Amino acid sequence: MLTQTTTRVLDPGELGAALAILESEPVANAFVTSRVQAAGLDPWRLGGEMWGWYAEGRLRSLCYSGANLVPICATPEAVRAFADRARRAGRRCSSIVGPARTTAQLWRLLEPSWGPARDVRSHQPLMVTEELSRLVEPDPLVRRIDKAEIDVIMPACVAMFTEEVGVSPLAGDGGLLYQARVAELVAAGRSFARIEDGKVVFKAEIGAATSRACQIQGVWVAPEYRGRGLSETGMAAVLRYALADVAPVVSLYVNDFNTAARAAYRRVGFREVGAFMSVLF
């Protein structure tokens, strides 16, 4: 038995212990939980390492280290340990994202060696709902995207990502990883859009998905169609699919400065239950 705290990479045999921590907060941890459920803890399949913080020999906190650095159910002492490990390893991620309090602490510790960041979004409201809105009717033209429509949906996905993150997902590897992720969501039946005359008018995806919670992402309306309420009716349509086919709780997180989107999501039935934070490099 260990008699002190320690941090190390989890091995595949610790899957049950890792899932117990992840599933203790099914909404906040949906992104990482969905990856672990699908890929286990093998770093090659998972797309990154899962770090564990142990006290008295027991796994207490986690941190996913891949394309994103994500603290999970991390105590202040665990955050300090994860920051030490991340600092020694050097920055390999494109963002730090997670619950606002722990992510802020992690960034304070890492900023002297990893900074400056390209952007820090310190308060991104986490919103959830378990039921359809009584105020907004789902758009009947929003539907699942077929595999044959990848070339139709991809420009909208690229436009959304570039607008939201500030850089194109086609940079670096030419967009191979991003295109693979879009294709994965389409193949899983979790990509939705309204298409008119061969052009995407509204789109969104159900990104992370577990049996207990799922997360809507990539909400986008073509610029020339904005201001017509399509984000509300489109979101209501995606929410209907999500509750019927995916999970009993649907979540999303949004930038606090996007007051129009926050208001639209509230009208669709979402309520704020917490906050995330993102540090973008």
Side-chain angles (χ1 to χ4, degrees), residues 127-129 216 235 239 250-252 265-266 268-271:
M127 308 181 77
V128 302
T129 187
I216 294 176
M235 278 294 289
L239 178 60
V250 182
S251 72
L252 56 83
Y265 298 152
R266 283 194 292 269
V268 176
F270 286 87
R271 65 188 185 279

Side-chain angles (χ1 to χ4, degrees), residues 155-203:
C157 293
V158 172
M160 178 282 305
F161 188 99
T162 304
E163 187 176 323
E164 171 65 20
V165 180
V167 297
S168 171
L170 305 182
D173 66 352
L176 293 177
L177 286 175
Y178 185 71
Q179 292 177 53
R181 177 56 176 163
V182 172
E184 178 186 350
L185 291 174
V186 170
R190 304 211 306 265
S191 177
F192 304 87
R194 173 173 173 168
I195 300 174
E196 294 183 3
D197 299 323
K199 180 178 180 179
V200 174
V201 171
F202 164 89
K203 75 139 199 101

Side-chain angles (χ1 to χ4, degrees), residues 18-35:
L19 285 173
I21 291 176
L22 287 164
E23 292 170 355
S24 68
E25 296 183 12
V27 172
N29 297 336
F31 166 69
V32 178
T33 303
S34 65
R35 294 185 68 92

Side-chain angles (χ1 to χ4, degrees), residues 104-269:
Q105 181 190 358
L106 185 58
W107 178 232
R108 282 195 299 271
L109 296 169
L110 287 174
E111 185 176 12
S113 55
W114 280 20
R118 182 171 55 84
D119 193 8
V120 176
R121 300 176 182 181
S122 58
H123 187 82
Q124 297 172 297
L126 174 64
M127 308 181 77
V128 302
T129 187
E130 300 88 7
E131 59 185 7
L132 295 174
S133 171
R134 298 178 182 178
L135 302 177
V136 180
E137 287 293 322
D139 185 343
L141 297 181
V142 170
R143 58 176 176 81
R144 279 191 170 94
I145 294 300
D146 187 82
K147 294 179 183 179
E149 296 176 300
I150 289 287
D151 291 341
V152 176
I153 196 69
M154 187 59 68
C157 293
V158 172
M160 178 282 305
F161 188 99
T162 304
E163 187 176 323
E164 171 65 20
V165 180
V167 297
S168 171
L170 305 182
D173 66 352
L176 293 177
L177 286 175
Y178 185 71
Q179 292 177 53
R181 177 56 176 163
V182 172
E184 178 186 350
L185 291 174
V186 170
R190 304 211 306 265
S191 177
F192 304 87
R194 173 173 173 168
I195 300 174
E196 294 183 3
D197 299 323
K199 180 178 180 179
V200 174
V201 171
F202 164 89
K203 75 139 199 101
E205 298 90 36
I206 300 172
T210 74
S211 62
R212 298 179 64 187
C214 65
Q215 188 177 89
I216 294 176
Q217 64 178 39
V219 181
W220 183 82
V221 176
E224 63 271 31
Y225 287 86
R226 293 175 186 175
R228 304 184 188 182
L230 291 177
S231 63
E232 296 180 18
T233 58
M235 278 294 289
V238 177
L239 178 60
R240 181 178 58 188
Y241 282 109
L243 290 172
D245 300 341
V246 183
V249 179
V250 182
S251 72
L252 56 83
Y253 63 96
V254 60
N255 293 316
D256 60 353
F257 54 79
N258 195 342
T259 55
R262 292 170 68 183
Y265 298 152
R266 283 194 292 269
R267 284 193 290 271
V268 176

